Amino acid sequence: MLDSIIVGLGLAGAAAAFKLEQEGKRFHVFDPGRLNASKVAGGVMNPVILKRFTLAWKSNEQLETARIFYREMEQYLQTSFLSPVEIYRKFASVQEQNNWFEAADNHQLSPFLDTRLHKKVGNGISGSFSFGKVNHTARVQTQVMLSALENKWRSEGKLSQESFRYEDLQLTENGVQYKDLTARNIIFCEGFGVLHNPYFKGIPMIGNKGEYLIIEAPDLQLEVMVKAGVFISPTGNGRFVVGATYNNQDKTMQPTLQAREELEKKLSELLEVPYQVVDQIAGIRPTTIDRRPLVGQHPVYPRIFISNGFGSRGVLTAPMATAALLDLMDHGTPVPLEMDVSRFHKRIRKALGF
């Protein structure tokens, strides 16, 4: 018997499966292999919300947990995908500079906000009011990581690249059965796709579509990430990722002209060199009405668990949320209330007719 069946191999599913692997437990993952939000994510581990100069939710705790987690995964895969990255916030005014310095006086923010003004971060980037540097930041190449996990687990018979059929799931006294597999538990890590899950009707998943541009700018000499209305990040060979948009109305996976125009408008205010758009990518971030993760046990079926709702900071949130999920499954340790799916149990029960 398996310990767990995992549905979905985005950040949530990958983190859950890897933790089970570390603990010597048996699992099987089902994922259709389509492009998902995790694969197109920027993968930035940045604890600071750069629009308001505040710390993201539990970011201190998440950052340290995430660094250790991804280093261990790199060793497991014998692949590099985590690297330090310098992030600079472009100031639009003296007032923004002052707000930065004021935030840096906060003892929680001070380790992350460099109080030196940087006049220039590269050739081709405008910066009349200088830049502020964020310390202790890193980047996870999510597509590299997830592709490596897919290849390894598929070769070991731990991954089936196919869609999960809910109608074939049977709940038993001792666990669950799916086709010819039996397991003690099942963990749904489907991202925005959870809206199609019949066991989680009523879940308050909003979803937030994000679109990115890939540009080519040979004259842009930039080796750091810059935040200035948009993020621009070098990927090598004169190419850069530019993003991202936020749209909670459009739930399609197709890139849009509206998003391209929005990003190009902001890009034109930032760059002083020509560029060419070579690609556009879209994905839907799994976001909830209170912008907190959905982690925990089903209110009716105790063998069903969920790990979801990580939003735009999935690389930071996934390791900590997964640790809480496995502590619940293994030891009955309550999930921290802010991320516990139990806060929506009434909605789920009502939608299911209980």
Side-chain angles (χ1 to χ4, degrees), residues 44 83-89 118 121 132-139 222-227 231-234:
V44 180
S83 58
V85 63
E86 292 187 3
I87 300 178
Y88 290 82
R89 169 63 150 81
H118 298 262
V121 296
K133 181 186 176 185
V134 186
N135 297 320
H136 310 302
T137 51
R139 182 179 180 183
L222 182 68
E223 297 181 355
V224 300
M225 292 185 68
V226 175
K227 168 67 173 176
F231 259 116
I232 180 166
S233 176

Side-chain angles (χ1 to χ4, degrees), residues 185-238:
N185 309 293
I186 185 166
I187 309 171
F188 286 107
C189 307
E190 303 159 290
F192 189 65
V194 75
L195 290 182
H196 303 294
N197 188 322
Y199 293 99
F200 285 100
K201 292 179 180 178
I203 208 81
M205 179 68 69
I206 298 173
N208 195 314
K209 184 174 182 177
E211 299 190 48
Y212 303 78
L213 298 180
I214 308 297
I215 67 167
E216 202 166 69
D219 298 330
L220 179 56
Q221 298 176 19
L222 182 68
E223 297 181 355
V224 300
M225 292 185 68
V226 175
K227 168 67 173 176
V230 291
F231 259 116
I232 180 166
S233 176
T235 61
N237 300 317

Side-chain angles (χ1 to χ4, degrees), residues 55-66:
L55 279 180
W57 176 72
K58 289 187 178 295
S59 56
N60 273 338
E61 179 183 348
Q62 291 180 3
L63 186 61
E64 187 57 33
T65 301

Side-chain angles (χ1 to χ4, degrees), residues 282-304:
I284 300 180
R285 310 174 186 91
T287 54
T288 60
I289 58 173
D290 59 2
R291 298 186 180 183
R292 295 289 182 265
L294 297 170
V295 179
Q297 193 171 36
H298 196 279
V300 179
Y301 308 112
R303 297 293 184 172
I304 295 179

